[in-house]
Amino acid sequence: MLNKLLFAVLLAYTAQAQAKETAADNYKAYCVQCHGMEGNGNGVNIRDMSVIPRDHTDSKAMSGRADDMLFKVIKEGGTSISKSVLMPQWEGVLSDEEIKDLVLHLRVLCKCKFGS
Amino acid sequence: MKQLFILSAALVFSGTAVAEEGLLQKDCATCHNISGPVAQTLKEALAKKGPDLSYAGNKYLQKWIVSWLQKPTRIRPAGMYYGDHIKPGPKGDEIDVSTLTDHVAISKEDATAIAAELMKLKPHDDLIAKEKIVPGTITKQMGEMNFDKFQGCMTCHLIEPEYGGFSGPQVYTAANRLQPEFMASFIRNPQAWEPKTWMPNKHVSDSGIQKLVQYLEMLSKEAVNAK
């Protein structure tokens, strides 16, 4: 009986740990520190950074990136697409599904699509 | 039967709590999580009013807790969740200092008693046991290059009061506060300690972790000497 109870608690616990967060919340927690409250690259951390974070509202620059490229740079970090190491890899923090949602979120921020 | 078991467990727990850690459980626990588990969702993580102390015994140097609690200084330049303490400025987002408050200071006796209580909280002996600190030194120049350029850690951490980033704790006194094994373990996998922290796992190699810890140890010695 106690075992069963423990098991149920454990299940509820792991399910909660893996619950998906919304893209807006993930952006707020993880990206705003560098990319800024407005997503324009002016985060609170940029003062001494040697490479400035991408302006996610820049539709010209952002439309030059395919969705799978955005997915890759978020998951594997700047160096995976020959960009700065200052853009971290978020694998292990964000699930693939959450990263896919973030790519959609970036398309809302830039009001753009790939190649347009 | 089960209920009886839970009830008696709760009684035993609160019995010791009231006797030994009244201040800790009553006052400190309004802002600090002392009993665990740590924040599992972003909602919980962003709402934290103070650092999680439920694994304090695996994290801090006891001596530091005693002295800091008597004379607290700011460790997180942008508060707990930086998003609650920033505003847009002419050169980008800036810290809104008016939203930051000073930490409560307590007497030497209380600080000593509380530090001893906190050091008993060790749910992560397993993670700590995995870390072996190799004694060694690194030049300031090499250490800084590694921390800033190769690993990109300075984007979120101040390495001196006037240089670095703001969304994480300042690290120029980190080694005065923290056990070296904790620093190594946290750098290896921050999410093992705080699943929703906004410090990413930088996938640093074993030898890279040793170099970073050596650098942090050196920085803190310098900070002490500069006083």
Side-chain angles (χ1 to χ4, degrees):
Chain A
M1 177 62 200
L2 198 69
N3 259 348
K4 227 180 182 161
L5 181 83
L6 254 168
F7 186 65
V9 168
L10 214 75
L11 265 184
Y13 190 69
T14 40
Q16 190 193 23
Q18 289 163 356
K20 193 172 103 166
E21 308 281 358
T22 67
D25 283 349
N26 278 329
Y27 195 87
K28 200 172 111 179
Y30 301 112
C31 317
V32 164
Q33 52 187 332
C34 292
H35 290 277
M37 300 164 83
E38 317 279 344
N40 58 5
N42 283 335
V44 69
N45 284 335
I46 66 169
R47 187 190 66 187
D48 298 327
M49 282 169 71
S50 53
V51 179
I52 293 307
R54 162 78 77 229
D55 176 353
H56 289 156
T57 64
D58 179 345
S59 47
K60 195 151 168 261
M62 290 296 288
S63 60
R65 290 280 185 227
D67 286 1
D68 53 357
M69 191 78 144
L70 294 176
F71 181 90
K72 189 175 169 71
V73 72
I74 300 171
K75 180 166 175 171
E76 298 170 24
T79 52
S80 74
I81 61 161
S82 306
K83 290 284 188 170
S84 170
V85 67
L86 300 190
M87 165 62 197
Q89 61 219 88
W90 293 99
E91 181 168 20
V93 179
L94 303 170
S95 66
D96 282 7
E97 217 183 321
E98 287 175 313
I99 297 175
K100 277 189 195 134
D101 290 351
L102 270 172
V103 171
L104 296 177
H105 187 75
L106 291 179
R107 291 301 181 205
V108 175
L109 282 177
C110 74
K111 303 194 181 76
C112 75
K113 288 198 301 248
F114 175 48
S116 69
Chain B
M1 177 59 201
K2 195 177 74 211
Q3 258 161 3
L4 203 74
F5 173 74
I6 291 175
L7 188 74
S8 58
L11 272 178
V12 171
F13 185 70
S14 57
T16 44
V18 171
E20 292 168 21
E21 5 173 334
L23 188 62
L24 192 58
Q25 296 293 349
K26 226 175 68 238
D27 300 340
C28 317
T30 57
C31 295
H32 292 283
N33 177 13
I34 288 157
S35 47
V38 300
Q40 300 291 326
T41 62
L42 266 186
K43 192 162 176 261
E44 288 166 3
L46 302 191
K48 272 162 67 169
K49 288 196 256 167
D52 201 296
L53 296 179
S54 67
Y55 51 88
N58 289 131
K59 177 172 181 179
Y60 303 104
L61 297 170
Q62 184 164 2
K63 204 175 74 186
W64 175 79
I65 302 182
V66 175
S67 69
W68 188 83
L69 282 175
Q70 297 172 65
K71 222 173 161 244
T73 50
R74 182 148 297 137
I75 296 164
R76 291 161 190 75
M80 285 308 297
Y81 167 51
Y82 65 92
D84 288 336
H85 304 283
I86 54 176
K87 59 181 183 189
K91 289 191 200 148
D93 299 349
E94 50 186 51
I95 296 171
D96 183 354
V97 190
S98 72
T99 64
L100 296 170
T101 49
D102 290 335
H103 198 271
V104 54
I106 58 178
S107 72
K108 188 172 179 185
E109 291 67 38
D110 285 343
T112 308
I114 282 183
E117 278 311 313
L118 287 175
M119 292 313 288
K120 291 183 196 157
L121 307 177
K122 294 183 174 186
H124 284 319
D125 282 344
D126 55 335
L127 292 177
I128 292 296
K130 283 191 194 143
E131 303 296 337
K132 290 280 163 290
I133 301 299
V134 183
T137 51
I138 189 165
T139 63
K140 180 164 185 185
Q141 205 184 6
M142 275 309 293
E144 201 165 298
M145 191 134 76
N146 188 32
F147 192 90
D148 293 3
K149 299 258 169 2
F150 301 157
Q151 309 286 359
C153 314
M154 59 64 71
T155 49
C156 309
H157 294 290
L158 292 168
I159 57 168
E160 47 188 83
E162 288 309 323
Y163 187 80
F166 302 97
S167 61
Q170 53 87 341
V171 292
Y172 50 90
T173 66
N176 296 332
R177 307 194 295 271
L178 307 169
Q179 300 170 23
E181 292 81 6
F182 170 80
M183 292 194 282
S185 180
F186 200 85
I187 296 168
R188 184 183 304 284
N189 185 359
Q191 283 67 37
W193 294 86
E194 293 283 348
K196 293 293 178 179
T197 179
W198 40 98
M199 168 156 161
N201 183 334
K202 297 285 275 187
H203 300 272
V204 188
S205 68
D206 278 328
S207 67
I209 292 175
Q210 297 293 342
K211 283 191 200 132
L212 288 167
V213 173
Q214 284 164 8
Y215 171 64
L216 294 174
E217 294 282 356
M218 191 205 66
L219 269 188
S220 293
K221 283 204 193 90
E222 242 181 30
V224 169
N225 292 340
K227 269 187 189 163

